[in-house]
């Protein structure tokens, strides 16, 4: 009996020890019982706030332990208010049957001035120890600035065009409904076949073409930022198109490069043969020449100045001939003159004829062009 009691006591003591061990927490940590890889967040939605994108960098994990916090950056529209913002984490982003996240969805936080908030993921069983962390930040999209789709500067820099005496900049911009025009004037004698423009613009990209019959918006020749040698010589055109960031809208600009004195006369001073009283003789006295880079037509009416004697009316009559469509660069046409000997007494008459040029279809720059002058002397004899 005594032996049996001793054996029973030993069994009861052993059972008690085993029972006590099974009720206490395992000294092995909760984190070691799970794979903390499973606690990673797959997305990070915000309550009531749309976002453009979410960039997630997972925490670094070594031997089932976190060694570096993760990073979450959320990009939102530029008009978003970065205060009182809460998360909207569901089971789609985190297994909420195993893990919890804090701050919770009911906590509103501020992200003003680049502030970062730390979110912690815990195991919901046992000691609820911290498993993973994410530094969460919110970035606004840049405010989208509207594009005017305009050329803001167009220059022939001397450093790129050594034949020029100095930098040549825009003399005038003329805005049109379909096409804008910009005008630049280089010295007479400039080689129009080899000029390198430097162009700045308000838009996303700039393209060019040189065939005026090409359909607007169809070019894919991008003008390089470093510049490019362009042949501006008549009859070539140079047309720019500035396009928007979506490659949907564009603005067309035609570039006109010429000289301010496109009209010159072959001889600046002439003397008409002596004219007898009553005669109506008209003489071809010189030629006017297009030394510019665009077709010339008549500008405003030719005038006379410095008349001697000044009789209040023109004793010498001067006319220019003009081809039907205009005078192309390099060509010339006649200048004729005669004296109204039937209406004026014998004597010597002097005047200066003033010829005003005009680029065909570009009368908006008439005031920028220099007229040509021709001194004429005539005599009425008996």
């Amino acid at each position: 009996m005594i032996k049996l009691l001793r054996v029973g006591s030993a069994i009861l003591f052993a059972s008690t020890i085993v029972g006590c061990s099974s009720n206490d927490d395992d000294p092995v940590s909760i984190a070691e019982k799970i794979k903390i890889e499973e606690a990673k967040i797959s997305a990070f939605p915000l309550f009531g706030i749309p976002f453009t994108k979410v960039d997630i960098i997972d925490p670094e994990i070594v031997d089932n332990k976190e060694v570096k916090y993760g990073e979450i950056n959320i990009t939102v529209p530029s008009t978003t208010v970065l205060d009182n913002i809460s998360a909207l984490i569901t089971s789609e982003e985190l297994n909420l049957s195993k893990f919890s996240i804090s701050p919770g969805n009911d906590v509103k936080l501020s992200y003003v001035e680049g502030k970062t908030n730390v979110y912690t993921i815990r195991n919901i069983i046992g000691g609820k120890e911290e498993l993973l962390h994410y530094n969460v930040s919110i970035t606004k999209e840049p405010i989208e600035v509207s594009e005017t789709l305009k050329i803001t500067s167009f220059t022939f820099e001397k450093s790129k065009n050594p034949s020029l005496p100095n930098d040549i900049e825009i003399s005038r911009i003329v805005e049109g409904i379909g096409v804008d025009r910009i005008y630049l004037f280089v010295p007479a004698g400039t080689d129009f076949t080899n000029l390198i423009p430097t162009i700045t613009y308000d838009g996303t990209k700039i393209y060019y073409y040189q065939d005026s019959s090409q359909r607007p918006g169809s070019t894919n020749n991008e003008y390089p930022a470093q510049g490019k040698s362009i042949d501006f010589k008549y009859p070539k055109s140079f047309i720019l198109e500035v396009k928007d960031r979506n490659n949907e809208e564009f603005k067309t600009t035609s570039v006109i490069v010429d000289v301010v004195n496109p009209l010159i006369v072959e001889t600046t001073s002439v003397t008409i043969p002596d004219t007898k009283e009553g005669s109506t003789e008209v003489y071809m006295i010189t030629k006017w020449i297009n030394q510019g880079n665009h077709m010339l037509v008549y500008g405003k009416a030719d005038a006379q100045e410095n008349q001697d004697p000044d009789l209040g009316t023109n004793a010498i009559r001067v006319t220019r001939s003009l081809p039907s469509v205009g005078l192309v660069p390099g060509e010339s046409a006649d200048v004729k003159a005669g004296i109204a000997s039937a209406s004026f007494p014998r004597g010597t008459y002097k005047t200066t004829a003033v010829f005003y040029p005009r680029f065909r279809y570009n009368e908006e720059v008439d005031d920028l062009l220099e007229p040509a002058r021709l001194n004429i002397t005539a005599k009425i004899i008996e």
Side-chain angles (χ1 to χ4, degrees):
M1 180 64 71
I2 292 172
K3 287 182 179 180
L4 288 173
L5 288 174
R6 287 177 178 172
V7 171
S9 298
I11 293 172
L12 179 61
F13 178 73
S15 299
T16 301
I17 293 174
V18 171
C20 291
S21 297
S22 62
N23 289 334
D24 291 340
D25 287 343
D26 193 320
V28 179
S29 70
I30 297 297
E32 292 175 345
K33 291 182 178 180
I34 64 172
K35 294 181 179 180
I36 65 173
E37 291 274 352
E38 298 176 0
K40 292 179 179 178
I41 294 177
S42 63
F44 203 95
L46 302 174
F47 181 76
I49 296 178
F51 55 84
T52 305
K53 65 176 181 176
V54 177
D55 295 318
I56 299 179
I57 300 175
D58 289 325
E60 292 184 14
I61 299 171
V62 177
D63 295 334
N64 209 37
K65 293 183 182 297
E66 180 187 53
V67 296
K68 185 178 180 180
Y69 286 12
E71 303 283 340
I72 298 176
N73 180 256
I74 306 168
T75 303
V76 298
S78 60
T79 55
T80 304
V81 177
L82 299 184
D83 205 5
N84 295 323
I85 293 179
S86 58
L88 186 61
I89 304 299
T90 69
S91 295
E92 293 186 5
E93 295 80 38
L94 180 66
N95 187 347
L96 297 178
S97 66
K98 291 184 177 181
F99 309 105
S100 66
I101 186 169
S102 62
N105 292 344
D106 57 337
V107 178
K108 296 182 177 181
L109 301 173
S110 173
Y111 290 87
V112 175
E113 297 179 352
K115 183 177 180 181
T116 297
N117 293 292
V118 179
Y119 277 76
T120 302
I121 297 175
R122 293 179 171 86
N123 183 23
I124 62 173
I125 303 173
K128 297 185 179 181
E129 60 186 296
E130 298 180 4
L131 302 178
L132 297 178
H133 303 81
Y134 288 88
N135 292 316
V136 179
S137 59
I138 298 179
T139 303
K140 286 185 179 183
E141 287 184 315
I143 296 175
E144 189 170 288
V145 179
S146 61
E147 300 170 295
T148 61
L149 306 183
K150 287 186 178 182
I151 304 298
T152 54
S153 73
F154 189 109
T155 308
F156 294 124
E157 296 178 328
K158 179 174 174 54
S159 60
K160 296 179 182 178
N161 302 274
S163 64
L164 296 176
N166 48 261
D167 291 354
I168 305 295
E169 299 182 346
I170 296 173
S171 291
R172 179 164 293 172
I173 300 174
V174 178
E175 296 184 356
I177 297 176
V179 180
D180 289 349
R181 290 189 178 95
I182 60 176
Y183 296 85
L184 297 95
F185 296 101
V186 296
T190 296
D191 181 5
F192 291 101
T193 66
N194 181 26
L195 290 170
I196 302 174
T198 301
I199 307 170
T200 62
Y201 55 93
D202 182 13
T204 299
K205 287 189 176 181
I206 187 168
Y207 300 84
Y208 76 98
Y209 55 97
Q210 295 201 261
D211 181 0
S212 59
S213 65
Q214 184 170 335
R215 180 173 58 85
S218 62
T219 182
N220 57 3
N221 292 327
E222 190 170 352
Y223 189 79
Q226 69 273 17
K228 175 182 176 63
S229 177
I230 300 295
D231 183 357
F232 289 90
K233 188 174 178 61
Y234 178 87
K236 289 189 175 181
S237 300
F238 186 62
I239 301 167
L240 297 168
E241 287 184 349
V242 181
K243 295 192 176 183
D244 69 351
R245 59 179 62 89
N246 299 318
N247 202 34
E248 296 174 350
E249 302 291 332
F250 65 90
K251 181 64 176 180
T252 304
T253 300
S254 179
V255 181
I256 293 91
V257 182
D258 216 303
V259 298
V260 294
N261 54 340
L263 190 164
I264 59 172
V265 288
E266 191 173 58
T267 305
T268 58
S269 295
V270 296
T271 299
I272 297 175
D274 293 349
T275 304
K276 291 183 178 181
E277 290 178 304
S279 173
T280 58
E281 194 75 30
V282 175
Y283 304 95
M284 198 286 288
I285 57 173
T286 190
K287 290 183 178 292
W288 66 286
I289 303 166
N290 183 351
Q291 70 163 0
N293 192 43
H294 289 82
M295 186 178 291
L296 292 181
V297 294
Y298 293 131
K300 68 178 183 178
D302 294 345
Q304 291 187 36
E305 58 188 23
N306 304 323
Q307 296 188 74
D308 181 23
D310 187 358
L311 302 175
T313 186
N314 296 332
I316 301 175
R317 311 294 169 83
V318 186
T319 59
R320 286 186 291 148
S321 61
L322 178 71
S324 58
V325 294
L327 195 66
V328 302
E331 288 191 346
S332 62
D334 293 342
V335 178
K336 295 180 179 181
I339 187 164
S341 58
S343 304
F344 296 90
R346 285 173 288 175
T348 300
Y349 296 84
K350 296 181 179 181
T351 190
T352 300
V354 184
F355 304 138
Y356 294 97
R358 172 176 290 173
F359 299 138
R360 190 181 185 195
Y361 305 130
N362 291 274
E363 58 271 15
E364 56 263 2
V365 291
D366 281 358
D367 60 310
L368 299 181
L369 304 182
E370 296 177 359
R373 286 175 166 80
L374 172 63
N375 299 312
I376 304 171
T377 301
K379 182 184 290 187
I380 300 175
I381 60 175
E382 184 178 357

